[in-house]
Every structure is written in structure tokens, then in C-alpha cells.
Amino acid sequence: MTAPEAGRGIGNGESAAEITTTFVGLPRDSFRILHVSTGNVCRSPITERLTRHFVRERLGILGGGLIVESAGTWGHEGAPMESHAETVLADFGADASGFTGRELLDEHVIRADLVLTATRDHRAQVISMGHSAGLRTFTLKEFTRLVKAIDPATLPPLEEGVVVRARALVRAAAALRGWLLAPNAEADEVYDPYGAPLTFFRSIGDEIHQALDPVVTALTGVPART
């Protein structure tokens, strides 16, 4: 795992000054989650903003060194989120404001402590970029499957900080890879809703929600409120 870079609890929508600040002169006490899809206007924005929303629901804040952002392998640089994606986020009470699309760059992979992709092809593309990304890059659903097999009692308590807990979670998931295989090729895929009607976007939003819930529970040590 690469050493985590410093930063605040921010993501897409950063100013140039804020991006520069994350690279220089800050303590190495953060954990950066990078969500990756194709255009960075549908799946990865939904996943990014839902992750932030669900962490806030559990902890009351998005902080403690946890940074959540997204990019696309063919990212529409500077583009707004798709309107149906905004609607899906609104359905969950999540904030869609201030988002702008990004093309996936080397620096995003270098800074990330955990990369969660929509599909296996995205995962392969991230790993092909190098930067020792293999052990910290998973499809979202693959990571969910591995996280469900981890005994929460083996993870550091939240009192030690969400960054410490998150790093341990990624190490444990990486150790399980190869032992817990997907039942079929489609099991680890989140399909692209781009250009589809709102009903399909909502079904993808539900898939992402179901995949994120155990991940956020493992990260925070706090289950979703019923």
C-alpha cells in the first residue's frame, strides 16, 4: 500500500489551490478512497457522494482523515453529474452539489489508499497504470464480498481513528482475495446507466447502496440506522 497523502475531507469540486495543498507539506494522516467508472458522470459520482453521506450518517461528520473522491477512465473533465444521478442521490438524501467530472490520472491512483471500481475492466485499467495499485484496487462488489467475510473484532476500534481502521480493512480484504471468488463473471459488475431512463438509474443506485452499506459499516464500526 502506498503511503497515504494528506488532505481534508473533500473531493470533486476542489479548487486548484486546494488540490495543490493536498500534495505539499501536510501530515500523512489521511485515508483516500477513489471511486472509478468510465465517464465520471453516473456511477462513480453516485458512489462517491453516497459514501460520504453514509459515513456522515454513521459518524455525524466526514472527517478524521477520510477523503472520498472519484474519476473516470474516460472521464468527462469538468462535466456536471448526469441529472438522473443527481435524482438518485436526492432519493437517499445525499448532496450532489459542486460536482465536476475528472479524467483518471496517475496522481489520483498514487494518492489513493483504496480504489473501488464499477467493473472488472475499470479495475484492470487502474492496475495497468502501475503505482503498486494491485493490492488496494477492487471492484466495489468484490470489496463488499471480502469485507463481509472479515470479523469486525479483528479490526482496530474506531477509537484508534478511522484511518487506522480503514488501512487494516484494506489489508484484510487483500489477504482474502483469491479465497473468496465471485460466483460468476457478472457478480462484481455495476452496469453503466448512462443514457438509460431514471428507473434504471434508481436500480443502479440501489445496487450501489447495498454494496456500500457493509463497507461503510466496516469502515466506521457503526451499522446503518434501521
Side-chain angles (χ1 to χ4, degrees):
M1 184 181 302
T2 59
E5 294 293 332
R8 292 169 288 167
I10 53 178
N12 290 355
E14 295 166 302
S15 69
E18 286 171 324
I19 292 171
T20 301
T21 300
T22 64
F23 278 97
V24 181
L26 292 175
R28 295 160 61 181
D29 60 354
S30 64
F31 186 90
R32 190 178 294 265
I33 301 173
L34 175 66
H35 293 291
V36 175
S37 63
T38 302
N40 194 216
V41 291
C42 299
R43 289 168 292 181
S44 52
I46 291 172
T47 314
E48 173 199 319
R49 295 306 177 92
L50 285 183
T51 302
R52 295 189 195 182
H53 179 68
F54 296 144
V55 170
R56 286 192 182 102
E57 280 191 332
R58 306 296 210 282
L59 300 181
I61 58 170
L62 178 61
L66 186 64
I67 301 166
V68 186
E69 55 190 356
S70 63
T73 55
W74 290 88
H76 301 300
E77 188 73 30
M81 191 186 310
E82 283 289 297
S83 60
H84 286 344
E86 291 185 349
T87 300
V88 168
L89 290 172
D91 290 343
F92 288 99
D95 181 15
S97 64
F99 182 88
T100 54
R102 303 191 305 176
E103 182 177 355
L104 181 67
L105 302 176
D106 288 297
E107 66 197 51
H108 301 144
V109 177
I110 291 168
R111 293 192 298 176
D113 298 288
L114 172 62
V115 184
L116 297 176
T117 70
T119 70
R120 292 169 298 151
D121 282 347
H122 296 134
R123 182 185 63 195
Q125 289 179 65
V126 171
I127 293 172
S128 73
M129 295 171 73
H131 315 302
S132 303
L135 289 177
R136 52 196 166 91
T137 302
F138 310 79
T139 73
L140 171 62
K141 289 185 175 180
E142 174 192 20
F143 194 65
T144 301
R145 183 174 67 253
L146 298 172
V147 163
K148 286 181 175 180
I150 296 169
D151 182 355
T154 64
L155 298 173
L158 190 59
E159 288 76 13
E160 294 186 22
V162 69
V163 169
V164 172
R165 187 178 177 94
R167 289 175 181 158
L169 182 66
V170 172
R171 288 194 299 269
L176 286 173
R177 186 160 26 201
W179 294 94
L180 294 174
L181 301 178
N184 54 63
E186 289 72 36
D188 286 341
E189 306 283 292
V190 176
Y191 291 108
D192 192 355
Y194 186 76
L198 179 57
T199 51
F200 188 67
F201 267 82
R202 282 181 162 141
S203 70
I204 293 298
D206 288 340
E207 278 187 41
I208 291 171
H209 170 218
Q210 291 171 22
L212 278 177
D213 182 71
V215 172
V216 174
T217 297
L219 278 171
T220 63
V222 180
R225 289 176 292 184
T226 58

